Amino acid sequence: MTQDEQNKVINEHNKDMAIVEKRQLKYQKLSFAMSLITMLMVGAIMVVIVGAVFYVKPMITDIYDSTMISLANLETLTDDLNVQMKQADLEGTVSNINKLTVQATGDLSDAMDRLNSIDFETLNKAIKNLNDTVEPLARLFR
């Protein structure tokens, strides 16, 4: 190979390398721009997240405090209810209800026996006789 041919090959190679370097520089600029956009977006997202945390944290703290107060009140109420249930004489109350039920059943049976012992025919005759007696008196006073 002659010197001119070598220079030609070298020049051609240099042109190809220049084209490749231009493309690389273009992609490096594009990569830098995308990295910068990504960094700005991540920064904006972080600002939003930090702002949301500072905005929501007091609300969460209030809800937590309120829940703890409600839980304490519920525990107190449950303890009071347990004490009252222990103090209540449920067995005695049930026993009294049973006694009253038995007594009422007996009284009802007595009342039914008395009603059955009434002679309604005689009673109806007595009412008719009373009506026959009072009716002329009622006409007299009209």
Side-chain angles (χ1 to χ4, degrees), residues 4-16:
D4 284 338
E5 289 175 356
Q6 283 181 353
N7 284 339
K8 232 184 202 185
V9 169
I10 290 174
N11 282 340
E12 193 134 333
H13 178 71
N14 285 342
K15 285 181 185 177
D16 289 341

Side-chain angles (χ1 to χ4, degrees), residues 10-27:
I10 290 174
N11 282 340
E12 193 134 333
H13 178 71
N14 285 342
K15 285 181 185 177
D16 289 341
M17 290 301 287
I19 293 171
V20 169
E21 285 178 6
K22 283 183 183 179
R23 284 184 187 164
Q24 284 181 343
L25 182 62
K26 175 183 169 185
Y27 288 123

Side-chain angles (χ1 to χ4, degrees), residues 99-118:
K99 288 177 188 174
L100 288 172
T101 304
V102 168
Q103 182 182 357
T105 303
D107 291 346
L108 185 60
S109 293
D110 289 345
M112 288 304 294
D113 289 341
R114 288 182 185 168
L115 279 174
N116 288 333
S117 69
I118 295 175

Side-chain angles (χ1 to χ4, degrees), residues 60-115:
I60 292 173
T61 303
D62 289 344
I63 291 171
Y64 176 77
D65 292 341
S66 175
T67 304
M68 287 297 117
I69 290 170
S70 296
L71 186 60
N73 290 341
L74 185 60
E75 287 175 354
T76 304
L77 182 65
T78 305
D79 291 341
D80 290 346
L81 186 59
N82 284 335
V83 168
Q84 289 177 1
M85 288 299 288
K86 287 178 184 176
Q87 292 174 351
D89 183 21
L90 295 178
E91 187 175 322
T93 303
V94 170
S95 174
N96 288 340
I97 289 172
N98 283 340
K99 288 177 188 174
L100 288 172
T101 304
V102 168
Q103 182 182 357
T105 303
D107 291 346
L108 185 60
S109 293
D110 289 345
M112 288 304 294
D113 289 341
R114 288 182 185 168
L115 279 174

Side-chain angles (χ1 to χ4, degrees), residues 40-63:
L40 291 174
M41 289 299 201
V42 167
I45 290 171
M46 289 300 293
V47 167
V48 168
I49 289 174
V50 168
V53 166
F54 283 123
Y55 178 74
V56 171
K57 186 183 180 291
M59 291 180 206
I60 292 173
T61 303
D62 289 344
I63 291 171

